[in-house]
């Protein structure tokens, strides 16, 4: 029997929450769509999550596990799971139980209205002030990279049609942002409000620093907006330079003396030098990304899969258990 619904979960230091997440997921999915699978991608968190995944897969053939060779990041792990999924629809959900599995039916109902991607947008953020602010900044950056209004509602809790992955099947860059990749295949996005529970076990892997870094990587990896900003700044300060020159020459001809003062000259030099270095820094970011892409470094590499799958996954960047054993990790 073909699988209709695949649930992809990136796993990172979640040995304490996985059994409860599995129990609640199965209870929900059996009532929604009996033909389903759960794909758990262990992102080398360093705990016993892989052991828990193996035990779940041994007890339930609908659970598939993939262990990555090292820590690649949340979006890379999700991409790995998406390429291994066999269902007609794919749900992505975090492993910390903050996204209640009981809310999946809301996403599925909205998707059936004719959309291709539906986000579960939390009614209330349950993080701290600085984390919430960083999340808003990240969503603004995401909106600039995606070019769609629904980016402000984007979250890790989403459902989309599996056929969309054909649009980014050849994507090989180590910098991955799933939300941007989905825009390569559709413009039909929507969102629905869902409940978000508080974290009861462990700490979030996304701190303030990591969120800011993620926003910067997203803007320079999937958008030319920073280059456009650098161009506008160059134009603005170039015009400012001509105005300063006109002021100096005008004062000389009108009053017979030049503009006095070292601080004035030093300030102008500092301002223009700062803008030049800023523009060079942005160009350097893009050159660095071109360098990494030219190395053809894969977005992920699987070290092992659960015996339930029993065959190579067949997607670029993913190894079967047999092939992984040959790799010198």
């Amino acid at each position: 029997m073909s699988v209709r619904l695949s649930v992809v979960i990136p796993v990172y230091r979640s040995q304490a929450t996985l059994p409860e997440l599995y129990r609640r997921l199965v209870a929900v999915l059996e009532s929604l769509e009996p033909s389903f699978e759960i794909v758990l991608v262990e992102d080398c968190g360093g705990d016993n999550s892989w052991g828990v995944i193996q035990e779940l897969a041994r007890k339930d053939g609908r659970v598939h596990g993939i262990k990555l060779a090292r820590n690649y990041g949340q979006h890379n792990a999700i991409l790995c799971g998406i390429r291994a999924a066999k269902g007609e629809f794919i749900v992505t959900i975090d492993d910390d139980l903050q996204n209640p599995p009981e809310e999946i039916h809301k996403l599925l109902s909205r998707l059936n209205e004719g959309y291709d991607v539906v986000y579960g947008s939390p009614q209330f953020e349950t993080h701290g002030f600085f984390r919430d602010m960083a999340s808003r900044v990240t969503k603004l950056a995401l909106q600039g990279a995606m070019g769609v209004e629904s980016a402000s509602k984007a979250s890790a809790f989403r459902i989309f049609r599996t056929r969309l992955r054909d649009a980014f099947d050849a994507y090989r860059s180590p910098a991955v942002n799933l939300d941007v990749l989905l825009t390569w295949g559709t413009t039909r996005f929507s969102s629905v409000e869902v409940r978000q529970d508080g974290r009861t076990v462990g700490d979030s892997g996304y701190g303030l620093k990591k969120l800011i870094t993620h926003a910067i990587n997203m803007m320079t990896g999937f958008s030319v907006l920073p280059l456009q900003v650098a161009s506008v700044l160059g134009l603005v300060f170039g015009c400012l330079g001509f105005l300063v020159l006109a002021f100096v020459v005008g004062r000389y001809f009108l009053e017979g003396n030049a503009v006095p003062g070292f601080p004035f000259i030093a300030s102008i030099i500092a301002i223009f030098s700062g803008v030049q270095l800023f523009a060079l820094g942005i160009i350097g970011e893009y050159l660095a990304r071109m360098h990494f892409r030219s190395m053809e470094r894969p977005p992920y590499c699987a070290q092992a899969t659960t015996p339930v799958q029993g065959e190579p996954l067949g997607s670029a960047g993913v190894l079967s258990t047999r092939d992984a054993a040959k790799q010198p990790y």
Side-chain angles (χ1 to χ4, degrees), residues 78 90-92 107 118-119 155-160 178-179 182:
I78 294 176
I90 296 177
V91 175
T92 66
L107 277 66
V118 177
Y119 290 106
S155 73
F157 191 23
R158 60 175 82 80
I159 186 173
F160 60 93
L178 180 61
D179 301 302
L182 288 172

Side-chain angles (χ1 to χ4, degrees), residues 144-298:
M146 290 176 64
V148 293
E149 186 65 29
S150 60
S152 60
K153 301 292 185 180
S155 73
F157 191 23
R158 60 175 82 80
I159 186 173
F160 60 93
R161 302 181 190 276
T162 305
R163 60 177 173 77
L164 295 182
R165 70 183 175 189
D166 293 339
F168 50 87
D169 181 63
Y171 186 78
R172 296 294 180 270
S173 173
V176 178
N177 185 278
L178 180 61
D179 301 302
V180 177
L181 295 181
L182 288 172
T183 64
W184 295 3
T186 186
T187 57
R188 293 189 293 271
F189 288 79
S190 186
S191 64
V192 60
E193 283 194 348
V194 296
R195 187 180 87 248
Q196 185 178 53
D197 297 335
R199 177 183 287 269
T200 58
V201 179
D203 298 319
S204 172
Y206 273 100
L208 176 62
K209 180 180 178 181
K210 186 172 287 189
L211 279 171
I212 294 175
T213 302
H214 179 62
I216 294 174
N217 290 338
M218 186 164 44
M219 292 300 293
T220 56
F222 298 93
S223 171
V224 296
L225 180 61
L227 285 176
Q228 295 171 339
V229 170
S231 299
V232 171
L233 284 175
L235 177 63
V236 170
F237 279 89
C239 294
L240 178 61
F242 280 109
L243 290 176
V244 171
L245 177 63
F247 172 71
V248 172
V249 173
R251 179 163 178 168
Y252 176 79
F253 281 108
L254 292 176
E255 300 182 3
N257 60 338
V259 178
F262 172 77
F264 176 80
I265 298 176
S267 300
I268 294 298
I269 293 175
I271 291 173
F272 281 87
S273 298
V275 173
Q276 290 174 347
L277 291 174
F278 175 75
L280 286 174
I282 291 177
I283 295 173
E285 283 286 334
Y286 280 89
L287 288 175
R289 294 189 177 280
M290 292 172 61
H291 168 67
F292 284 126
R293 291 192 180 187
S294 68
M295 294 170 62
E296 297 186 353
R297 173 183 165 191

